[in-house]
Amino acid sequence: GQQLNQSPQSMFIQEGEDVSMNCTSSSIFNTWLWYKQDPGEGPVLLIALYKAGELTSNGRLTAQFGITRKDSFLNISASIPSDVGIYFCAGNYYYNQGGKLIFGQGTELSVKP
Amino acid sequence: EAQVTQNPRYLITVTGKKLTVTCSQNMNHEYMSWYRQDPGLGLRQIYYSMNVEVTDKGDVPEGYKVSRKEKRNFPLILESPSPNQTSLYFCASSLSGRDQPQHFGDGTRLSIL
């Protein structure tokens, strides 16, 4: 079945640095989503990408839907301590008259003040 | 406030004792889904529902049941819980299963002894 490979698994960075993480798959997806999960909470949607090649920003976050529809990246610029958390990519593909969401394994981000 | 509500948030129980985790959404969403989150594995889909009375298996359905008698509620039932079902569970909903981002509850941490 579909699988997503998300990297890196964890990152330890200094406040102010830029961050980049990505997801790749051997399968094609119709939509790419990026979520952030804080401790003790559910994933919260950061960015949704709907078209191949689409580049979308949300404040300091920028994400792109790969042109092959098999990958996506998320960049965070000028990181701050509240960026700490686990970031998940998710790919949505059409399935059985609906859709199915597959998640990457997550990237755990630690930011040192 | 638009939200997905899960109850209970935490539960410690014993093997074989039937339990139900409730999920309710107030956004009139058609699509609802259950996931379990385990370290290093990301989120894996257990069951999903395209609409009232329409449910289907996800990637890890063994040992679980669901029902969708009303649009807003989607309970997860463990008829005979076992220790390998100890996990963090999330309910999610979206307007439809296709191309619509899913919104997550805050999670239910289950420990089966």
Side-chain angles (χ1 to χ4, degrees):
Chain A
Q2 269 82 344
Q3 281 190 322
L4 291 183
N5 297 311
Q6 185 172 349
S7 64
Q9 284 191 331
S10 60
M11 301 182 75
F12 297 85
I13 62 169
Q14 199 77 30
E15 182 177 0
E17 288 182 3
D18 296 344
V19 171
S20 186
M21 58 192 80
N22 69 83
C23 271
T24 60
S25 175
S26 57
S27 304
I28 289 173
F29 290 95
N30 300 102
T31 309
W32 280 92
L33 306 166
W34 284 92
Y35 287 87
K36 183 191 178 205
Q37 184 179 23
D38 291 324
E41 297 182 14
V44 173
L45 182 69
L46 297 174
I47 293 180
L49 302 158
Y50 297 99
K51 292 181 187 175
E54 180 182 351
L55 184 72
T56 296
S57 293
N58 178 7
R60 293 178 296 106
L61 278 60
T62 301
Q64 183 157 32
F65 191 146
I67 199 74
T68 64
R69 292 165 62 194
K70 293 181 180 181
D71 62 309
S72 177
F73 72 75
L74 174 72
N75 288 342
I76 305 173
S77 62
S79 58
I80 58 178
S82 62
D83 289 335
V84 165
I86 304 177
Y87 292 79
F88 290 100
C89 63
N92 192 333
Y93 66 95
Y94 297 156
Y95 174 79
N96 198 20
Q97 297 183 349
K100 199 158 181 195
L101 201 59
I102 304 293
F103 281 84
Q105 303 92 331
T107 295
E108 186 166 8
L109 180 63
S110 300
V111 179
K112 193 175 179 182
Chain B
E1 182 190 347
Q3 57 187 8
V4 178
T5 303
Q6 297 178 224
N7 278 297
R9 292 292 311 277
Y10 304 91
L11 179 64
I12 301 174
T13 187
V14 295
T15 299
K17 186 176 180 183
K18 180 180 178 179
L19 67 92
T20 300
V21 185
T22 64
C23 174
S24 180
Q25 49 92 7
N26 62 0
M27 296 169 279
N28 203 36
H29 284 170
E30 291 189 347
Y31 184 94
M32 296 186 75
S33 183
W34 276 103
Y35 296 87
R36 60 177 289 172
Q37 183 178 18
D38 301 291
L41 296 177
L43 286 92
R44 294 178 293 167
Q45 191 179 52
I46 303 171
Y47 268 94
Y48 66 96
S49 169
M50 298 288 296
N51 212 327
V52 176
E53 301 292 1
V54 180
T55 64
D56 206 350
K57 295 177 181 178
D59 296 315
V60 288
E62 294 77 21
Y64 305 95
K65 283 174 58 176
V66 292
S67 71
R68 187 92 182 273
K69 293 186 170 58
E70 310 163 274
K71 201 170 192 178
R72 63 182 292 127
N73 296 324
F74 190 45
L76 178 70
I77 303 154
L78 284 71
E79 293 270 4
S80 183
S82 62
N84 64 11
Q85 293 177 298
T86 293
S87 187
L88 180 58
Y89 292 84
F90 288 101
C91 179
S93 73
S94 65
L95 201 56
S96 74
R98 285 195 174 199
D99 296 338
Q100 298 293 325
Q102 292 183 28
H103 300 269
F104 285 80
D106 284 335
T108 295
R109 186 167 290 282
L110 287 184
S111 294
I112 316 294
L113 304 177

